[in-house]
Amino acid sequence: VIVGEVQGGSFAAFAAGVTPRLKAALVAAVGVERAADAAGEALAYAWEHWESVRMMENPVGYLYRVGVSRGRRWRPLPAVFPSPPNGDMPWVEPGLPRALGGLSERQRVAVVLVHCLGWTQDEVAGLLGISRGSVQTHLERGLHHLRASLGVRS
Amino acid sequence: VNLERQLADYGKHLRQAIGDLEVSIEPGHAVRPVPKEELVKQRWLWTAAAAAVAAGVIVLAVLLWPGGGSESAPFVDDGSTVPGTTLTVPTTTTLPTTTTAALPGIEGFAVSVDDAGLGTVGLVAVSAGEVWAVRGVGQPGLIGRLEGGVWTHWRLDPNPRGQVNGVAVAPDGTVWVATNSGVFSFDGVEWTRRFDDPAGSVGVDGGGIVWIGGPQRNVAQSPWLARWDGEAWVRVDPTPQAAPEPSIISLAILSDGGIWVSQSAGGWGFDLLMRYDGTTMEEVRIWDYLDHFPGVFTEIAVAPNGDLLVGGHQDGQDRQVRVARFDGDEWTEWAAHDWPFFAESMGAFDMAVGSDGVLWFAFDGGLASVDGTEWTTQIEGPGVSAVDVAPDGTVWYAGPDGVHIFSTP
């Protein structure tokens, strides 16, 4: 059942409102391949617990956590990011998608949301429930790891 | 082109991929378009059904309540009851045993049960003849006891998605299990529901006091923590707002009474380590004490001498295993040679310490021991998920084909 078809008035509006940001956050955390399932799990949880979720101050942050933890398996799977189509963006290092997958999850979430998708550091801090300073630290460490992985200086 | 520019341009490609993602909700969650008139009809049916169920529950409670002497077990905090946690099930309720099956076979010391997948969440070794194992993350929750060569299985949650989050065995032999549908104890004869809300973990201290915990409703808050006083759960954290969905947390209880709780903020491994000293709960940042300790830790355990051990790995692509030790006063790193590097797809492991001081690891590459400083891979192969050392020295582990004894003293 596609979320857009879900009946229930306020839940449908809620789902339509949070889904874009939830998808983006989960892509950053678990990669593109698993993000749709994780978002589906999170929205199903929201539906089942609508009375409590609707009262939350930060439902996207909470559902993000539900999506990641419900997709948890004993053996963690790598976050997989797609390569740009051949010939498109030749200035982007071919190893960049794989290098993103090699970051720690928090570093990856910070780097992808801020540098790739244009979120503010405050928005990422709100999502993860951490301080803006911690987001800055994850960003710096993430960029440092990426430069080391890709062998680039700037 | 500098890295930030590359990331921004790659982001355009990523936005397209995100836009193409189609999010659906599983039909199993009963989310489907319902005509308005059917909704009205359903509402009446649900109301009637709810009334019938409520009447049934009241009748059952009256019939089964053991002379009024057994109270339900709500949280209490300075004498006040926390709303929403009152039990609705009499504490003498016996839960069904789903299966009792003889072992397929015993070969040497190896005993196993096929298709159970037990041990993926936890393993508690009691002796060479008894082990408890639970599964529940990504699989329907199941509890198993192997005793005298016979496996007995229980499923405490009728919800097929019910999740088991932890198991502990008290010194008096009572088994405690934390699940998404509550906390249960087993006295050797019957299961008793002790707590109605989800709990992320359970542990027992040296004095037999049972502790449970879970995340708070606000993800930025520290976990909640409660102890069982024999009749009720006593909250020891200041803000009673337990989250309805527990992420995985882990409890380690030291002999000095200190309770250590680790909690994930949503990713692999635990991001938050808290210490409750009997009065207050505060975050401990290991990296404030150890320069080289990584930011990702996945396991906490108590050594026989009472030290806390925190296992983890380095951040990034080369994830070398690291273990930190806290002796009550200071943090040190467990010195070791040739500790392995986890591939980027690995990172979680289980850890246990025997009374002989040997450290055991169950990880996706197999089963390993560290005696002193030497890492020795004892079993090589994927899917080893848990290890524990019984008080008698028997080493049990959970592999892809079941639960086994690795060695006896």
Side-chain angles (χ1 to χ4, degrees):
Chain A
V1 175
I2 306 302
V3 167
E5 298 172 5
V6 172
Q7 301 295 301
S10 57
F11 176 77
F14 166 82
V18 301
T19 296
R21 292 182 74 76
L22 187 60
K23 282 199 301 184
L26 289 169
V27 162
V30 302
V32 172
E33 288 185 358
R34 289 191 289 142
D37 285 345
E41 289 275 2
L43 288 170
Y45 175 87
W47 173 257
E48 291 170 343
H49 301 83
W50 176 232
E51 288 306 312
S52 57
V53 170
R54 68 188 303 194
M55 304 300 289
M56 291 180 180
E57 293 178 5
N58 179 19
V60 175
Y62 194 85
L63 294 179
Y64 160 81
R65 187 173 164 214
V66 170
V68 173
S69 62
R70 286 228 167 170
R72 183 190 287 260
R73 298 290 186 273
W74 175 260
R75 179 181 180 180
L77 298 170
V80 176
F81 289 85
S83 297
N86 285 340
D88 197 10
M89 303 178 188
W91 56 89
V92 173
E93 291 281 346
L96 181 61
R98 181 175 168 77
L100 284 171
L103 295 178
S104 74
E105 187 174 288
R106 284 196 166 192
Q107 291 171 6
R108 182 169 58 251
V109 169
V111 168
V112 169
L113 291 181
V114 172
H115 287 292
C116 296
L117 302 178
W119 287 36
T120 67
Q121 292 187 22
D122 284 335
E123 288 173 324
V124 177
L127 174 82
L128 298 177
I130 60 178
S131 69
R132 188 177 185 279
S134 296
V135 174
Q136 178 68 29
T137 300
H138 290 309
L139 276 175
E140 290 172 359
R141 288 182 180 176
L143 291 177
H144 174 76
H145 281 304
L146 283 179
R147 289 193 175 96
S149 298
L150 298 171
V152 299
R153 289 186 175 181
S154 62
Chain B
V1 178
N2 69 30
L3 182 59
E4 284 87 345
R5 171 69 191 283
Q6 290 188 48
L7 286 166
D9 287 341
Y10 179 69
K12 297 172 186 171
H13 174 61
L14 208 50
R15 279 194 184 90
Q16 180 67 44
I18 293 170
D20 291 342
L21 286 180
E22 190 173 85
V23 178
S24 62
I25 299 176
E26 291 177 25
H29 294 284
V31 179
R32 61 186 177 88
V34 182
K36 189 175 180 182
E37 56 274 20
E38 188 178 337
L39 274 177
V40 173
K41 183 180 174 186
Q42 283 186 357
R43 197 169 295 144
W44 277 105
L45 286 172
W46 278 112
T47 304
V53 168
V57 167
I58 291 169
V59 170
L60 273 176
V62 169
L63 290 175
L64 297 178
W65 207 263
S70 180
E71 299 295 327
S72 55
F75 275 142
V76 294
D77 188 5
D78 294 332
S80 65
T81 300
V82 178
T85 58
T86 305
L87 278 178
T88 56
V89 179
T91 56
T92 53
T93 296
T94 301
L95 296 156
T97 299
T98 55
T99 59
T100 303
L103 267 179
I106 298 178
E107 186 178 339
F109 286 121
V111 287
S112 65
V113 56
D114 292 334
D115 302 321
L118 287 165
T120 48
V121 167
L123 192 68
V124 177
V126 178
S127 67
E130 183 180 1
V131 67
W132 287 78
V134 295
R135 75 176 192 199
V137 179
Q139 298 165 297
L142 190 67
I143 299 160
R145 176 187 62 183
L146 176 62
E147 186 178 31
V150 177
W151 275 102
T152 306
H153 299 150
W154 293 271
R155 195 188 303 280
L156 301 182
D157 187 346
N159 180 357
R161 296 166 63 90
Q163 184 166 306
V164 179
N165 297 316
V167 58
V169 180
D172 66 359
T174 304
V175 179
W176 293 79
V177 177
T179 78
N180 273 17
S181 57
V183 176
F184 303 84
S185 68
F186 182 69
D187 62 4
V189 178
E190 63 183 10
W191 287 95
T192 303
R193 184 191 290 271
R194 299 292 189 183
F195 187 58
D196 265 357
D197 284 349
S201 188
V202 60
V204 184
D205 68 20
I209 303 291
V210 181
W211 293 80
I212 57 174
Q216 297 276 8
R217 189 176 295 275
N218 181 339
V219 296
Q221 289 179 305
S222 60
W224 61 263
L225 196 60
R227 63 178 166 79
W228 177 246
D229 71 359
E231 294 182 350
W233 296 99
V234 181
R235 287 286 288 266
V236 299
D237 54 291
T239 50
Q241 291 188 347
E245 170 79 0
S247 64
I248 291 178
I249 71 163
S250 186
L251 287 176
I253 303 171
L254 303 191
S255 54
D256 67 0
I259 312 285
W260 291 77
V261 188
S262 56
Q263 173 176 291
S264 167
W268 296 113
F270 297 112
D271 304 276
L272 183 64
L273 182 65
M274 307 289 298
R275 180 192 191 189
Y276 174 71
D277 63 4
T279 306
T280 59
M281 196 183 305
E282 61 180 5
E283 182 179 2
V284 176
R285 297 162 56 92
I286 302 176
W287 42 95
D288 287 345
Y289 304 95
L290 296 174
D291 288 342
H292 300 103
F293 196 77
V296 178
F297 56 97
T298 60
E299 174 69 2
I300 59 177
V302 182
N305 69 352
D307 288 0
L308 176 75
L309 300 177
V310 181
H313 56 76
Q314 291 175 305
D315 263 350
Q317 290 176 315
D318 294 328
R319 303 178 173 187
Q320 189 176 28
V321 175
R322 295 286 178 85
V323 174
R325 179 201 295 263
F326 180 66
D327 65 4
D329 291 318
E330 62 179 354
W331 289 91
T332 52
E333 273 204 77
W334 189 303
H337 301 302
D338 301 325
W339 285 31
F341 289 81
F342 283 166
E344 63 184 53
S345 62
M346 298 166 60
F349 56 76
D350 192 26
M351 192 169 68
V353 197
S355 57
D356 55 2
V358 175
L359 184 58
W360 291 86
F361 287 92
F363 64 112
D364 204 46
L367 179 71
S369 64
V370 175
D371 189 355
T373 60
E374 298 297 328
W375 175 284
T376 305
T377 301
Q378 304 283 3
I379 295 175
E380 200 160 348
V384 178
S385 58
V387 62
D388 195 27
V389 185
D392 67 6
T394 306
V395 178
W396 288 86
Y397 72 98
D401 57 347
V403 179
H404 306 266
I405 289 177
F406 175 74
S407 63
T408 53

